[in-house]
Amino acid sequence: MRKFSTYIMDKDEVASSDISKFEDNSKLSISSLHPIEKKILSVLRLVEADWVTESDLIKSSELTVDQVRRGVEWLRYKDLVQISEDTNIKIYLHPDMSDKEPLVLPERKLVNIVDKGVTKLSEIINSEEFNGNDKEVFGAIRFCKKNNWISIIDDKVTLLPDSHKSSSEENFMAKLKNTTTALESLIDKEDKKAYESLKKRHNLLVAEKLVHKKYRITQTSVHLVDSLLITSDKVVRKMTQDVLVSGKWRDLIFEQIDVEAPLPLLNYGKKNPLVDFIDEVKEILVGMGFSEIEGNLTQSCFWNFDALFIPQDHPARDMQDTFYLKSQTDLYSPLPKNTSLVQHVSKIHRENWQYDWNIEDSKPYVLRTHTTPVTLQYLSEGTPERDKVFLIGRVFRNEKVTFKHLVEFHQVEGIYVNEDANLRQLIGIQSEFYSKLGIKKIKFWPTFFPYTEPSLQSMVYNEKFDKWIELFGMGIFRPEVTKPLGIKNPVLAWGGGFERLAMLRFNLDDIRELYSNNLAWLKSVPKCL
C-alpha cells in the first residue's frame, strides 16, 4: 500500500466543480454515506492495484463478509464502485468414487471380466462384478465400443488390440485422484473432452462453481471520492454535550438519517388483534359517555329467556340452540330473591302469550346465549331513571361452525335510559358509533325481536364484497321487559356479534380466521389501524 497523501489530491487541488457536484448530488452527499461505505472507499483508494479482491478488502477493512457485500452494493448503487466477477468450475471426484481403491470404471470392469474368459453377455451380467445390473453392463459396452476396445458377435464379446490402452476418461480420473481437484479453466483439450463425457455420468465427478469478486472505485468518481475522504474527518454521527456547548458543531457535518428506511421485523409478543379491537371499541363507547358493566357466563333460564319476554316454548330455548348445564350447584344468576319480580314476569307471560308459565322451566342453568341477561340484572338492581351502559362479553350458541358462525363468540351491547329516549336518538347513537370506527355507509332496516318494539337492523356497506351486510339489532325494550324490573322510562337497546365487526376491521371473509392461530396473520396485523 502507498501512503494516503501520495494517493489523493491535496485539499486545495480538489476542483471546486467536483466538490459542488458531490454536494449537490443527493446520492453522493458526504453526510449520507455510512461508516461502512467510508471504510470500504478508504481501502479501495489506498490499495495500489486497481482491482481489490473480496478477501483482501475484508482483511484490510476489518469488516465482516456481510458488511463488505452490503456496503459495496450501496456504493455500486451510488456509482462509486465497480464490481467484477470471475467464475470458474472446481472439479473433484464424487465421494462414492474417491473412496474406491482401485478406481475402476464400468468399461474397464467389462474388459477385465472378458480377459478372464467370461465372454457371453448373460454370464457377464450375472457375474460377481456386475451382480445382475444389466444397465451398467450395456453402459459399459457403449463406452468400450467408443474406445474401440471390444466387438460383439452372436452374444459373444471379444477384446480388440486397443483394450489394454487407458481411455482419456481413465487418465483424467487418475489425475484427479492424485491432485484432488482441478480447475476447468486450466485443463487441456484432451482432459476437457474427458470431463464433458464424465460429468454426464452418475456419481463420478462433482463440479462446483466458484465466483471470485473484485472491486475498484469507478474511474469517473476518483476525484469525488478524494474530496470525500479529505472532509470525512468532519463528518460525525452523534451530537455530544461537549460538541454542543463548545460550538464545534458549527464546523461539523452530521450524517443523514433515512427516516424511510425499512426496519427489521421484530416478532415481539403482543395482544391478539381481536383483543386490541375490543379495547378500542371500549374506549370509543366510554368516550361517548357509556359505562362498562360485567356479568356471569352462566345464567338461569329466568334471566336468559323469561325476563326478556321469550316464551317457554320458544324454539330458541331448545337444546339444539342452547347449551344447558347438568350441574346446578355453585353457579350464579339464580332466580331473583324479589318474588314480586318473578310474579310480574309470570303474569306478563300468561296474559300476553296465553300459556301456563312454569317456574321449574326457569331454574335450569345455561351458558348465556346473549349478554342481555347481564343488562337486565343491572337494571333490576339499580332501577335507574337515566343511564348509559355497555357490555362486551362471550356468548355461546349451539350452532354449526361456518365462515360466519361460531359456537363461542363475543357480543357487544349497550342501553340508554332516559325519559325522552326515542328511536331517532338510538339511530343517532349507532351512526356516531359506526362513524368512530370508520364506517360511513350505514342504513337501518325494520325487523322483529321478541323483547324490543319498534325494532331495527343496522346494515353497513362492505367495500370488499360490494354488498350490504347485517350487523347489529336494536330497538326500544318492550314494557313487558322493563315494567317488571321497575323501569319506568324508555330503554334504548342495541347489540350484536363482535366478530362480524372485527371481520370488517381486518378485511376477513371467514370469521374462523380470528381464532385460527395463524402466526403469519397475527404478526402481520399492525398495532394501530
Side-chain angles (χ1 to χ4, degrees):
M1 290 188 177
R2 297 183 181 178
K3 292 183 178 179
F4 185 81
S5 59
T6 63
Y7 227 87
I8 64 171
M9 297 183 294
D10 185 76
K11 183 177 180 179
D12 296 332
E13 296 175 358
V14 177
S16 60
S17 61
D18 288 339
I19 297 177
S20 61
K21 177 182 176 182
F22 187 85
E23 295 290 353
D24 292 339
N25 193 325
S26 60
K27 291 184 180 179
L28 303 179
S29 170
I30 295 174
S31 58
S32 68
L33 291 182
H34 193 276
I36 291 177
E37 295 177 289
K38 296 175 186 177
K39 190 171 288 189
I40 292 173
L41 287 176
S42 298
V43 172
L44 294 178
R45 198 66 185 95
L46 287 171
V47 174
E48 186 172 351
D50 283 341
W51 292 98
V52 179
T53 64
E54 187 173 73
S55 58
D56 289 339
L57 182 56
I58 293 170
K59 182 179 179 180
S60 300
S61 64
E62 299 180 348
L63 298 172
T64 66
V65 177
D66 290 338
Q67 287 176 324
V68 166
R69 291 177 179 174
R70 191 184 310 125
V72 166
E73 287 299 322
W74 294 340
L75 292 168
R76 182 171 69 167
Y77 172 74
K78 296 172 183 176
D79 297 326
L80 291 177
V81 165
Q82 289 177 284
I83 302 177
S84 175
E85 293 186 356
D86 294 329
T87 59
N88 210 333
I89 303 294
K90 183 172 74 171
I91 307 165
Y92 53 92
L93 293 176
H94 192 278
D96 293 346
M97 291 298 296
S98 59
D99 296 338
K100 290 184 178 180
E101 194 63 45
L103 199 158
V104 180
L105 293 175
E107 56 264 35
R108 178 56 62 188
K109 190 193 303 184
L110 176 61
V111 170
N112 292 340
I113 293 174
V114 175
D115 195 36
K116 292 178 182 179
V118 182
T119 58
K120 288 186 177 182
L121 278 177
S122 58
E123 295 176 350
I124 293 172
I125 293 172
N126 295 317
S127 65
E128 183 180 352
E129 287 82 355
F130 287 105
N131 195 26
N133 190 342
D134 56 343
K135 291 184 179 180
E136 186 180 10
V137 172
F138 291 123
I141 291 173
R142 181 164 66 89
F143 286 107
C144 283
K145 285 188 174 182
K146 174 187 168 220
N147 296 331
N148 198 28
W149 286 354
I150 63 170
S151 66
I152 302 177
I153 301 174
D154 297 332
D155 199 35
K156 184 178 180 180
V157 181
T158 305
L159 296 180
L160 298 177
D162 289 341
S163 61
H164 67 282
K165 295 181 180 179
S166 298
S167 65
S168 59
E169 288 87 353
E170 288 179 314
N171 293 332
F172 182 64
M173 293 191 72
K175 290 179 183 178
L176 286 180
K177 186 76 173 178
N178 293 329
T179 60
T180 308
T181 61
L183 293 177
E184 183 183 28
S185 61
L186 300 180
I187 60 179
D188 56 31
K189 186 176 181 181
E190 186 69 18
D191 287 342
K192 183 69 177 293
K193 188 182 297 184
Y195 163 64
E196 293 294 335
S197 174
L198 289 170
K199 75 178 184 178
K200 299 175 183 178
R201 298 164 71 173
H202 185 62
N203 286 354
L204 291 181
L205 300 179
V206 176
E208 182 181 329
K209 185 177 180 180
L210 302 176
V211 179
H212 298 284
K213 292 184 178 181
K214 53 185 180 180
Y215 315 106
R216 73 175 180 184
I217 294 176
T218 306
Q219 299 301 300
T220 57
S221 302
V222 173
H223 294 323
L224 299 178
V225 172
D226 287 342
S227 64
L228 164 67
L229 296 177
I230 289 172
T231 57
S232 63
D233 58 334
K234 290 188 176 183
V235 180
V236 296
R237 304 196 75 186
K238 295 181 179 180
M239 170 72 81
T240 64
Q241 181 180 2
D242 178 61
V243 171
L244 184 62
V245 173
S246 64
K248 293 179 182 178
W249 59 271
R250 295 185 179 89
D251 300 321
L252 298 175
I253 301 173
F254 292 92
E255 289 186 358
Q256 294 179 0
I257 298 176
D258 186 1
V259 295
E260 296 181 352
L263 294 174
L265 180 61
L266 300 177
N267 294 326
Y268 54 86
K270 60 178 181 179
K271 288 192 289 186
N272 185 285
L274 181 61
V275 177
D276 271 335
F277 188 40
I278 290 175
D279 292 341
E280 180 185 343
V281 171
K282 286 182 178 180
E283 290 184 10
I284 290 174
L285 292 172
V286 170
M288 292 174 63
F290 287 81
S291 301
E292 185 179 8
I293 60 174
E294 294 181 345
N296 302 316
L297 298 180
T298 59
Q299 297 287 339
S300 63
C301 285
F302 177 86
W303 288 114
N304 199 79
F305 299 117
D306 295 320
L308 277 167
F309 195 51
I310 299 175
Q312 292 182 333
D313 58 353
H314 194 281
R317 301 174 69 144
D318 192 75
M319 288 289 290
Q320 275 68 36
D321 294 318
T322 306
F323 290 107
Y324 283 82
L325 303 178
K326 289 184 178 180
S327 175
Q328 304 296 313
T329 59
D330 299 325
L331 297 176
Y332 300 97
S333 301
L335 292 178
K337 295 180 180 180
N338 184 357
T339 57
S340 62
L341 173 57
V342 178
Q343 293 173 357
H344 284 308
V345 170
S346 172
K347 181 180 178 182
I348 286 176
H349 277 251
R350 285 196 304 270
E351 291 179 352
N352 290 275
W353 296 120
Q354 297 182 359
Y355 73 99
D356 293 330
W357 186 83
N358 187 355
I359 192 171
E360 294 300 322
D361 291 337
S362 295
K363 292 180 179 180
Y365 282 93
V366 298
L367 292 177
R368 65 187 185 192
T369 59
H370 45 198
T371 52
T372 313
V374 179
T375 303
L376 295 185
Q377 292 172 56
Y378 172 81
L379 291 175
S380 68
E381 292 170 0
T383 60
E385 294 185 2
R386 295 182 180 182
D387 211 346
K388 295 168 70 176
V389 298
F390 75 93
L391 167 65
I392 300 178
R394 286 182 292 165
V395 297
F396 308 87
R397 302 278 177 86
N398 192 5
E399 296 181 347
K400 182 180 179 181
V401 176
T402 66
F403 72 97
K404 61 179 181 178
H405 291 100
L406 292 172
V407 173
E408 176 183 346
F409 57 96
H410 289 81
Q411 195 173 58
V412 54
E413 77 165 57
I415 60 168
Y416 173 66
V417 185
N418 205 335
E419 56 186 7
D420 59 351
N422 54 57
L423 201 61
R424 179 176 293 180
Q425 289 179 335
L426 179 58
I427 293 175
I429 291 172
Q430 287 295 282
S431 300
E432 178 69 12
F433 174 71
Y434 288 138
S435 176
K436 290 181 179 294
L437 287 173
I439 300 173
K440 304 299 181 183
K441 293 185 178 180
I442 315 159
K443 64 181 180 180
F444 301 90
W445 205 263
T447 188
F448 168 78
F449 295 110
Y451 39 87
T452 56
E453 180 62 37
S455 303
L456 294 175
Q457 180 79 47
S458 66
M459 304 186 73
V460 299
Y461 188 72
N462 188 316
E463 301 286 349
K464 181 178 180 180
F465 297 108
D466 191 26
K467 66 178 183 179
W468 291 90
I469 296 177
E470 296 180 2
L471 208 54
F472 289 171
M474 65 192 70
I476 302 176
F477 272 149
R478 298 172 66 106
E480 293 86 349
V481 175
T482 56
K483 283 186 177 180
L485 304 177
I487 304 299
K488 299 178 181 180
N489 291 334
V491 179
L492 309 181
W494 54 270
F498 192 88
E499 276 75 359
R500 288 198 179 185
L501 196 62
M503 288 175 67
L504 292 173
R505 163 56 63 91
F506 301 121
N507 200 25
L508 300 176
D509 51 18
D510 192 328
I511 197 171
R512 291 168 292 191
E513 292 184 44
L514 293 168
Y515 297 97
S516 65
N517 291 331
N518 183 347
L519 291 179
W521 179 77
L522 292 172
K523 293 174 181 178
S524 68
V525 178
K527 184 70 175 175
C528 301
L529 291 176

